[in-house]
Amino acid sequence: DRFEFEDEFIPGLPGSEVYESITHYDVDSDLFTQELRLTSGTDGALAWTAGALFRREEARDSWLSTQAFGGEIFASDVPTRLYSKNESWSLYGDASYALDERWELGAGLRYFEETRDFADLDFGTRQRATFDDSSPRAYLAFAPDEQSNLYFSVSQGFRSGGFNSPYAEELGAPATYGP
């Protein structure tokens, strides 16, 4: 957690000053995840999987930092306290059909929703947003022999958005950004 240069100058940058930052971190995090999955379990040509997933994460972060440039302290014992809570859930299904011993065709769909809650306790700001999406996929699998498989797959991914810092907002950035 401590970063400092041994010399007064940064090598390769003549005349440059040294930046030093000493930071003490404290992070407390709780995470819970649960998944339920059902599968067809048959030996027939049609196979399927369906499921649901839930995830909750809560974190409290705090740190105290002292920063110096060129031997002069310009910020001392600056506290930062953050709180975040994310809850997400998804439902998904996938089915495949064996066309013969070598070819298999499959498709699936996943619905995902996440609610993010973020608070900067020192700025007194709180941000909350919900992001959701449905993501399809399709594939074709070919087994030229018993040791090889070739997959041709098309899918759409999804990643939740998030929050910009209050500093970025002061410069004109939006409070949240999308996926």
Side-chain angles (χ1 to χ4, degrees):
D1 295 341
R2 183 180 170 101
F3 179 80
E4 58 184 286
F5 291 99
E6 293 181 11
D7 301 322
E8 291 184 18
F9 297 96
I10 299 173
L13 298 175
S16 64
E17 298 287 342
V18 174
Y19 172 78
E20 180 180 9
S21 176
I22 301 170
T23 306
H24 302 279
Y25 291 94
D26 182 28
V27 178
D28 181 24
S29 180
D30 296 312
L31 175 66
F32 173 79
T33 302
Q34 185 68 50
E35 182 174 10
L36 172 67
R37 186 181 304 180
L38 303 171
T39 59
S40 57
T42 61
D43 291 333
L46 180 65
W48 56 267
T49 300
L53 176 70
F54 175 79
R55 181 178 193 269
R56 179 179 49 237
E57 179 180 17
E58 191 171 0
R60 289 155 298 285
D61 302 12
S62 62
W63 62 88
L64 189 65
S65 63
T66 299
Q67 300 174 1
F69 188 75
E72 297 293 322
I73 294 177
F74 65 89
S76 181
D77 296 335
V78 178
T80 303
R81 297 173 301 143
L82 307 174
Y83 169 81
S84 63
K85 181 178 179 183
N86 300 326
E87 285 191 3
S88 63
W89 63 273
S90 65
L91 298 174
Y92 58 89
D94 196 86
S96 64
Y97 186 78
L99 302 171
D100 61 28
E101 290 184 10
R102 294 177 149 197
W103 291 92
E104 180 180 319
L105 183 63
L109 181 65
R110 172 183 292 264
Y111 175 77
F112 177 86
E113 182 175 301
E114 180 174 35
T115 300
R116 291 188 169 195
D117 198 351
F118 176 80
D120 185 323
L121 303 176
D122 297 311
F123 270 95
T125 60
R126 181 175 181 203
Q127 297 166 303
R128 182 180 174 95
T130 299
F131 306 94
D132 67 324
D133 192 49
S134 295
S135 302
R137 83 176 193 125
Y139 68 91
L140 179 64
F142 174 66
D145 56 52
E146 289 186 20
Q147 287 81 30
S148 305
N149 282 312
L150 299 172
Y151 294 94
F152 306 94
S153 179
V154 176
S155 62
Q156 176 183 326
F158 174 75
R159 184 138 178 105
S160 292
F163 306 108
N164 287 313
S165 74
Y167 301 113
E169 287 181 61
E170 288 177 9
L171 297 173
T176 63
Y177 55 86

